[in-house]
Amino acid sequence: MFQHLKKTVSCANVLTLAYQSLGVIYGDLSTSPLYVYKTTFSGKLSLHEDDEEIFGVFSFIFWTFTLIALFKYVFIVLSADDNGEGGTFALYSLLCRYAKLRVLPNHQEMDEKLSTYATGSPGETRQSAAAKSFFEKHPKSQKGLLIFVLLGTCMAIGDSVLTPTISVLSAVSGVKLKIPQLHENYVVIISCIILVAIFSVQRFGTHRVAFIFAPISTAWLLSISSIGVYNTIKWNPHIVSALSPVYMYKFLRNTGVEGWVSLGGVVLSITGVETMFADLGHFSSLSIKVAFSFFVYPCLILAYMGEAAFLSKHHEDIQRSFYKAIPGLAVTSVMLVTTCLMSLVMTIVWKQRTITVLAFLISFGSVELLYFSSCVYKIPEGGWIPILLSLTFMSVMYIWNYGTTKKHEFDVENKVSIDRIVALGPSIGMVRVPGIGLVYTNLVTGVPAVFGHFVTNLPAFHRVLVFVCVKSVQVPYVGEEERFVISRVGPKEYGMFRSVVRYGYRDVPREMYDFESRLVSAIVEFVETEPGTEGEEGCDSLRMRKEETLEIMEAKEAGVAYILGQSYAKAKQSSSVLKKLAVDVVFAFMSTNCRGTDVVLNVPHTSLLEVGMVYYV
């Protein structure tokens, strides 16, 4: 009885999430019928009286939806989630863990014990072992893979910048059919107002946005599908025959180069498809599959079919404009990146046979290359805009990655030896005053160089010292029970600890609103559960633990000070002009405007002490 109730509730939850996803994920797809046909016929492609072109375009739309959206994304790509997270970075995270790419310089073996770090069965196939060996033997291939992932991510951003604008602009442009005297400038102004209103609502959260827009999207899809059925029956029921792929061949044979170029408009029918995979964190993959397979997909196919049937009898209603083809290049680029990454995931993570991986890569990659090549033709006509945006974003991301990596290497090279600290004795060569000192560092081992400055120049320091390292791990989330990793630095009498605070790439560090208490609690728990040393009696060990716990709590009551090392990057004098521009200007600007650790952890300014350091790369 209870198992049946559990299944019922689970099914209800899936249907609820599927309904909510209609308002967030499928907005772009739902509005694509507004502009796909008129974009496809916006160039030199001419219509003939036998309607072969209309039939061929609909055939391309149907099979693109079926092959790319349904089979590739819904049936295959949605299964490659990373602990419920999707998107390009999720695929890359899986590859990093399974292939041990070690793109993070502060990786620790203990990170692999995280509950979300699961890498499946240890068994290897010949293909997966060969792929891992290739990345291990060729470090440059790891950097190339990172750049490839950044390219895909930035292309998705470039598409996301343009697609909402085009969708809203196309919808508002439809008003001109009823109000022909409406000037184009007013259409733009109205579109801008709508966009501002829509994006201002997003700050209330995904679930609230889904609650608001889900009924709107549902009503829209039901309306256009109903109109599609009506148009098909009324104007041209023979459009059903265009479901045959033969019409795609006839279309390309009859139209030649003009038909190939027009395929850039067909791509817009699946603008937004990548968001199905990227929004898995809010909606389960099953709910997204259900929503698309049983509602969105049939509604849109009926809408496109009805539109094609109507246009076959009303050629003059196809509006001619070229600006709507701009996002096609970004969309096809992201699809190609996803296909290539999925091929690696199938090899390394899923451990599929080579023939299966090649079948996936060739089947979908060839179709996407066809669309990509047609979109390249549109670069002079506006296609350069998403490319420029993507390259700008990618340059910023890569420079940030390069600068932070060099900064970490500098910290590693200049860290203070533990033996040197231990040689100074329990007082570390200075007066130990009541309180806790939190020294922030990028290092997971060793003592940061900034602490060496304190030892050399300051006469006193706190009785309890904690070296805090806030770092990212190659998982989407880290549970609160696994957040802190506490260890000692030196003997017990030194009162020094190290705390590694771990976050996933989807975690929000700002949620650490009570960081002090949680950190002290983690240290106390470590002290109370720490194995005793040889020679300690049971009663003596328990007494020493209680005394140390009391000292830590008294130190917390005396006050907590935060010591942050502010590192500034400088390019060496011998560096090239390009490197100086990247490090001294771009990276310096980003570092200045980046949210600091003090803001992330809500450090009180009265307890903050910053020490500046310059490092040369």
Side-chain angles (χ1 to χ4, degrees):
M1 176 179 179
F2 292 105
Q3 289 180 351
H4 174 71
L5 179 61
K6 183 176 180 181
K7 289 181 179 179
T8 303
V9 173
S10 176
C11 182
N13 288 338
V14 169
L15 292 177
T16 301
L17 289 174
Y19 173 71
Q20 290 180 341
S21 69
L22 296 175
V24 177
I25 297 177
Y26 298 109
D28 293 335
L29 279 175
S30 301
T31 56
S32 59
L34 291 171
Y35 48 79
V36 169
Y37 280 108
K38 58 186 176 183
T39 302
T40 304
F41 291 98
S42 62
K44 298 179 181 179
L45 185 62
S46 58
L47 289 171
H48 298 86
E49 294 189 9
D50 57 4
D51 299 325
E52 287 286 338
E53 289 75 17
I54 295 287
F55 279 50
V57 170
F58 172 67
S59 184
F60 266 103
I61 292 173
F62 171 77
W63 286 105
T64 300
F65 252 95
T66 304
L67 291 176
I68 303 298
L70 188 63
F71 282 94
K72 176 189 170 183
Y73 279 95
V74 173
F75 291 161
I76 301 176
V77 177
L78 283 178
S79 302
D81 65 295
D82 181 13
N83 293 282
E85 291 298 320
T88 307
F89 272 151
L91 294 176
Y92 184 58
S93 176
L94 286 173
L95 292 173
C96 287
R97 295 209 304 271
Y98 279 79
K100 300 185 184 299
L101 298 183
R102 299 290 185 268
V103 293
L104 297 175
N106 56 4
H107 177 82
Q108 294 174 287
E109 292 298 326
M110 67 181 69
D111 296 336
E112 300 181 15
K113 298 179 181 179
L114 287 167
S115 57
T116 52
Y117 202 94
T119 55
S121 59
E124 290 287 349
T125 62
R126 184 165 55 88
Q127 294 84 354
S128 63
K132 291 180 181 180
S133 176
F134 175 81
F135 284 114
E136 290 176 1
K137 293 179 180 179
H138 303 85
K140 289 185 178 180
S141 64
Q142 300 182 24
K143 184 177 293 186
L145 181 62
L146 173 62
I147 295 175
F148 187 65
V149 171
L150 291 179
L151 175 63
T153 304
C154 294
M155 281 292 186
I157 295 174
D159 171 54
S160 301
V161 170
L162 296 170
T163 301
T165 307
I166 290 173
S167 298
V168 173
L169 189 61
S170 298
V172 176
S173 297
V175 178
K176 295 183 66 176
L177 295 176
K178 292 295 183 181
I179 313 176
Q181 66 272 21
L182 185 65
H183 195 274
E184 192 72 26
N185 292 341
Y186 291 107
V187 173
V188 174
I189 292 174
I190 295 172
S191 301
C192 291
I193 294 173
I194 294 175
L195 285 168
V196 170
I198 291 175
F199 283 109
S200 64
V201 174
Q202 285 190 332
R203 63 188 179 91
F204 295 109
T206 302
H207 294 290
R208 288 186 176 88
V209 173
F211 179 78
I212 295 173
F213 288 99
I216 299 174
S217 298
T218 303
W220 167 257
L221 285 168
L222 288 174
S223 299
I224 61 175
S225 60
S226 301
I227 295 172
V229 173
Y230 171 81
N231 283 340
T232 301
I233 297 174
K234 179 177 177 59
W235 298 108
N236 194 348
H238 296 291
I239 193 67
V240 177
S241 62
L243 297 177
S244 170
V246 174
Y247 281 89
M248 292 191 293
Y249 167 74
K250 291 182 178 179
F251 174 81
L252 292 177
R253 183 193 62 188
N254 296 335
T255 58
V257 176
E258 288 76 14
W260 165 70
V261 172
S262 69
L263 294 180
V266 176
V267 173
L268 299 184
S269 64
I270 52 174
T271 299
V273 168
E274 191 72 20
T275 58
M276 285 197 299
F277 184 42
D279 285 340
L280 291 184
H282 301 293
F283 308 99
S284 67
S285 60
L286 180 58
S287 66
I288 295 175
K289 290 179 179 180
V290 169
F292 183 82
S293 303
F294 295 100
F295 187 67
V296 178
Y297 174 78
C299 283
L300 288 177
I301 292 300
L302 290 174
Y304 279 113
M305 182 185 297
E307 190 174 3
F310 177 83
L311 293 176
S312 66
K313 304 300 181 182
H314 301 81
H315 293 177
E316 68 280 0
D317 286 339
I318 299 182
Q319 300 178 11
R320 298 179 179 273
S321 57
F322 67 85
Y323 66 89
K324 298 180 180 63
I326 291 175
L329 187 63
V331 174
T332 53
S333 299
V334 176
M335 290 193 301
L336 280 170
V337 170
T338 301
T339 298
C340 294
L341 291 179
M342 269 304 305
S343 299
L344 289 175
V345 168
M346 293 175 69
T347 302
I348 298 175
V349 181
W350 292 354
K351 299 177 175 60
Q352 295 292 318
R353 295 182 301 172
T354 303
I355 187 66
T356 304
V357 177
L358 287 177
F360 172 85
L361 183 63
I362 295 173
S363 300
F364 297 108
S366 58
V367 175
E368 291 161 356
L369 277 175
L370 174 65
Y371 285 131
F372 179 81
S373 63
S374 66
C375 292
V376 169
Y377 189 84
K378 292 288 186 179
I379 289 180
E381 299 179 352
W384 57 270
I385 296 177
I387 295 179
L388 181 62
L389 287 173
S390 303
L391 291 178
T392 301
F393 293 137
M394 188 175 71
S395 300
V396 169
M397 290 182 181
Y398 185 77
I399 291 173
W400 180 257
N401 175 268
Y402 174 81
T404 51
T405 301
K406 290 298 182 181
K407 177 181 177 181
H408 182 82
E409 293 175 356
F410 176 86
D411 291 335
V412 171
E413 294 174 357
N414 293 274
K415 66 182 179 181
V416 181
S417 170
I418 292 290
D419 295 335
R420 177 187 168 190
I421 297 295
V422 172
L424 296 174
S427 65
I428 319 182
M430 55 186 175
V431 178
R432 302 293 290 273
V433 298
I436 298 179
L438 304 182
V439 183
Y440 284 86
T441 172
N442 294 320
L443 301 175
V444 293
T445 58
V447 178
V450 65
F451 184 69
H453 291 290
F454 282 101
V455 174
T456 305
N457 299 302
L458 294 181
F461 211 80
H462 301 86
R463 179 66 188 88
V464 177
L465 293 177
V466 184
F467 298 104
V468 182
C469 174
V470 180
K471 74 168 190 175
S472 297
V473 191
Q474 296 168 340
V475 294
Y477 300 99
V478 176
E480 291 302 323
E481 68 281 359
E482 300 175 306
R483 181 80 66 198
F484 296 93
V485 177
I486 309 296
S487 59
R488 285 193 183 273
V489 178
K492 288 185 179 182
E493 58 269 21
Y494 283 59
M496 297 194 301
F497 300 89
R498 182 184 311 282
S499 173
V500 178
V501 189
R502 301 180 292 187
Y503 290 97
Y505 57 84
R506 291 283 290 181
D507 276 322
V508 182
R510 286 176 294 173
E511 294 179 353
M512 298 290 287
Y513 55 91
D514 195 17
F515 180 73
E516 286 183 17
S517 300
R518 295 166 72 176
L519 176 61
V520 172
S521 298
I523 295 174
V524 169
E525 182 181 356
F526 168 79
V527 170
E528 292 177 347
T529 58
E530 184 182 19
T533 58
E534 289 188 23
E536 287 185 351
E537 297 293 336
C539 293
D540 291 338
S541 176
L542 182 61
R543 178 180 55 81
M544 293 174 63
R545 290 178 182 178
K546 289 184 177 180
E547 290 178 354
E548 187 173 13
T549 298
L550 183 61
E551 288 179 2
I552 294 172
M553 298 307 296
E554 290 176 349
K556 182 180 184 296
E557 293 297 325
V560 179
Y562 297 78
I563 297 91
L564 272 67
Q566 287 289 356
S567 300
Y568 301 95
K570 290 286 185 181
K572 297 177 181 178
Q573 291 293 332
S574 58
S575 301
S576 63
V577 176
L578 184 62
K579 184 176 181 180
K580 288 181 179 179
L581 177 65
V583 176
D584 296 345
V585 179
V586 181
F587 183 75
F589 175 80
M590 289 190 290
S591 300
T592 304
N593 292 276
C594 177
R595 182 185 291 113
T597 307
D598 56 325
V599 177
V600 171
L601 300 179
N602 294 321
V603 176
H605 291 285
T606 55
S607 305
L608 178 63
L609 178 62
E610 294 185 330
V611 180
M613 294 181 63
V614 178
Y615 63 97
Y616 293 90
V617 297

